[in-house]
Amino acid sequence: MSAPAAEVLLEVEGAVATLTLNDTARRNVMTPELGDALCARVAELKGRDDVRAVVLTGAGGAFSAGGDLKMLERLRQVSFEDARAFMLGFYARYLSVLDLPVPVIAAVDGPAIGAGLCVALACDVCLVAEDSKLALNFVQLGLHPGMGATYLAPRRAGAQAAAELLLTGRRFDGKEAVKLGLALEAAPAGQVLTRARELAGRIATNAPLAVRALKQRLGLDRAELQRALEEEARFQAESYGSQDLGEGLAAAAARRAPVFQGR
């Protein structure tokens, strides 16, 4: 039996929409198919004047376990230019949330790893569970960071704190995420989505034209983000040609520590 298609659920209650990553069997790992589903839902919402705020979350006890390791393995077999182009398209699928004209609140209940955490950081506000397992663990796989990590993490946490997280790839929890400035609030597990919808509801009661304009004013520097994405795609394409990435993927599959040789 084939695996169920990756999907993103859409629920609208009043003026608040909730988008839910729903590939629960794989803990919402980031595949092109799940990214396409997210893009489709974003396109649906962009034309809806009745939606004034959006919550982005994940089903099955995870926000996202990060990039699909099988996808990374396949990318080791393609040319540098094909890998670079693929990554730019891959980033665009998930960062389509930036195209929503209304505020987007990430509700992270459960793991948000690597590129999955980056998508949460791309939202206007991020709420997390106190015990969520979080990491920007790209280097632990032998991979340069992507999905805007090198722009989004310093923007939220500052240069030195972001450098430490990116260079070590270490895990941290929701409470530390708040201390670092990566999240606004840490709530007990199971309460994050409720808190995010409450915040979205408060935003939705305000003047919609003013809120949409304020989102643009407070939002990311899209030109600077695009420059970061271009550089990340180039460096990730180089990583795919390295022996280190092969070692990192093998170590992850075997649940052992990698031994990198710098090749």
Side-chain angles (χ1 to χ4, degrees):
M1 179 180 296
S2 61
E7 61 177 344
V8 174
L9 306 179
L10 170 60
E11 177 187 355
V12 179
E13 184 174 352
V16 175
T18 301
L19 293 172
T20 305
L21 305 178
N22 190 44
D23 190 358
T24 57
R26 295 183 290 179
R27 300 175 70 78
N28 303 319
V29 294
M30 301 176 76
T31 61
E33 294 78 17
L34 186 61
D36 286 340
L38 180 59
C39 272
R41 290 303 196 187
V42 168
E44 285 184 54
L45 288 174
K46 284 171 65 176
R48 293 189 59 160
D49 291 335
D50 60 318
V51 171
R52 297 185 177 185
V54 174
V55 174
L56 177 64
T57 193
F63 185 81
S64 174
D68 180 21
L69 298 188
K70 292 182 179 178
M71 179 188 74
L72 301 185
E73 188 64 55
R74 290 194 299 272
L75 285 165
R76 297 186 65 223
Q77 313 306 316
V78 306
S79 70
F80 170 88
E81 189 53 41
D82 285 348
R84 188 193 70 82
F86 177 89
M87 292 317 301
L88 285 173
F90 185 72
Y91 305 155
R93 287 173 167 93
Y94 286 93
L95 295 178
S96 63
V97 295
L98 293 170
D99 297 329
L100 287 165
V102 298
V104 182
I105 301 167
V108 178
D109 198 349
I113 305 298
L117 179 54
C118 292
V119 173
L121 296 180
C123 296
D124 298 286
V125 178
C126 181
L127 305 184
V128 296
E130 293 173 342
D131 61 353
S132 283
K133 294 180 175 62
L134 311 171
L136 295 166
N137 65 331
F138 301 91
V139 295
Q140 293 184 349
L141 289 172
L143 182 66
H144 187 280
M147 198 61 73
T150 59
Y151 171 79
L152 296 167
R155 182 176 184 269
R156 288 285 182 87
Q160 290 195 91
E164 188 266 334
L165 294 176
L166 289 164
L167 289 169
T168 65
R170 69 175 177 87
R171 292 199 173 193
F172 54 100
D173 62 16
K175 291 180 180 179
E176 185 175 359
V178 173
K179 293 179 182 179
L180 290 166
L182 296 174
L184 173 68
E185 176 185 320
Q191 297 183 23
V192 180
L193 181 58
T194 298
R195 294 287 300 121
R197 284 173 166 164
E198 289 173 350
L199 176 57
R202 292 201 301 274
I203 292 171
T205 64
N206 293 320
L209 296 180
V211 169
R212 288 182 178 223
L214 184 57
K215 175 187 167 79
Q216 292 185 31
R217 182 67 187 90
L218 295 176
L220 307 177
D221 184 332
R222 296 295 292 271
E224 186 62 28
L225 173 59
Q226 187 58 39
R227 284 191 288 271
L229 294 172
E230 293 279 354
E231 286 292 288
E232 288 177 355
R234 178 170 67 86
F235 284 122
Q236 285 202 319
E238 290 179 355
S239 294
Y240 293 132
S242 71
Q243 293 180 26
D244 278 348
L245 179 57
E247 165 62 11
L249 293 174
R255 298 184 180 277
R256 61 170 174 80
V259 180
F260 296 121
Q261 301 296 328
R263 295 195 294 269

